[in-house]
Amino acid sequence: MKPLFALSLALFAASSFANIDRTALPELPNVYVYGPHLVSAGLPKSDDYAALKSAGVDVVINVIPHHSKWDKENGFVPDPASARASGLTHYTVPFESAEPVATMEHFIAVMDRMSQTDQDVLVHCAVNWRASGLVYLYHAIKTGKADKTELKPWGDLEQAFAEAPNLKHFFDVVEAHYGLAPAL
């Protein structure tokens, strides 16, 4: 009886603490690995979702807004049906640059729910600026410390903010609301 209990406990422990296998991740644009349970990237292709599942990802959080003209014109259209067909849970938390605090609160609620369930998460947008930005702000809010290395997918932060003033505005509003030090 004891060996069976020990085996059951070992199997439970192994399944409870699964990690994302970075070596098994598909070739996603602009991937950033935060740790064993969280990555961000640009938009996965429809056939990437099965590989994401095999790599240990449980949940995909898409932050591309439904009504984004820029994303649609540039071919960045999410495919939640393929994610779900591959066995992944799919959430959409639209990055609304006109509603920074509401967007951040929605993202915090979803990320907090994921952390309570020990699920491994991929957060994505088109090119991993909005996704990594939200993760950076989430961590800064939760820990009280901002780690600018989490903005590595942006390349030159000053240039990125110059190219996307709506992102700078988003950061300014969220940083002021939560009392964070400015990223730039």
Side-chain angles (χ1 to χ4, degrees):
M1 185 70 152
K2 286 184 183 181
L4 182 58
F5 177 73
L7 177 62
S8 297
L9 187 60
L11 289 174
F12 174 75
S15 66
S16 298
F17 300 105
N19 294 328
I20 296 172
D21 179 358
R22 8 177 133 195
T23 64
L25 287 171
E27 291 291 324
L28 299 174
N30 219 7
V31 173
Y32 188 82
V33 179
Y34 299 88
H37 305 289
L38 179 63
V39 298
S40 65
L43 181 66
K45 295 180 192 95
S46 297
D47 58 352
D48 288 335
Y49 292 108
L52 286 166
K53 180 70 175 170
S54 294
V57 172
D58 302 305
V59 175
V60 173
I61 302 173
N62 161 44
V63 302
I64 298 172
H66 304 292
H67 64 295
S68 172
K69 183 178 176 183
W70 181 88
D71 287 294
K72 288 178 184 164
E73 287 175 354
N74 289 287
F76 297 115
V77 179
D79 186 4
S82 290
R84 290 185 183 111
S86 296
L88 298 166
T89 302
H90 185 278
Y91 292 97
T92 299
V93 179
F95 185 98
E96 300 293 347
S97 55
E99 297 290 333
V101 174
T103 297
M104 199 67 231
E105 288 175 355
H106 186 185
F107 187 74
I108 289 168
V110 172
M111 289 295 286
D112 283 352
R113 188 175 324 126
M114 295 305 96
S115 69
Q116 293 170 358
T117 61
D118 294 325
Q119 293 187 306
D120 298 327
V121 178
L122 164 71
V123 181
H124 82 79
C125 60
V127 297
N128 200 13
W129 281 14
R130 293 169 289 190
S132 60
L134 285 170
V135 173
Y136 163 84
L137 291 167
Y138 173 77
H139 286 151
I141 291 164
K142 290 298 185 171
T143 66
K145 294 181 247 170
D147 179 359
K148 289 186 184 176
T149 62
E150 292 184 349
L151 295 174
K152 185 179 178 185
W154 293 50
D156 182 317
L157 188 59
E158 192 170 331
Q159 181 181 351
F161 277 148
E163 290 177 24
N166 62 329
L167 292 175
K168 177 68 170 124
H169 169 74
F170 187 95
F171 267 66
D172 289 345
V173 171
V174 170
E175 289 165 342
H177 181 80
Y178 289 99
L180 303 173
L184 182 66

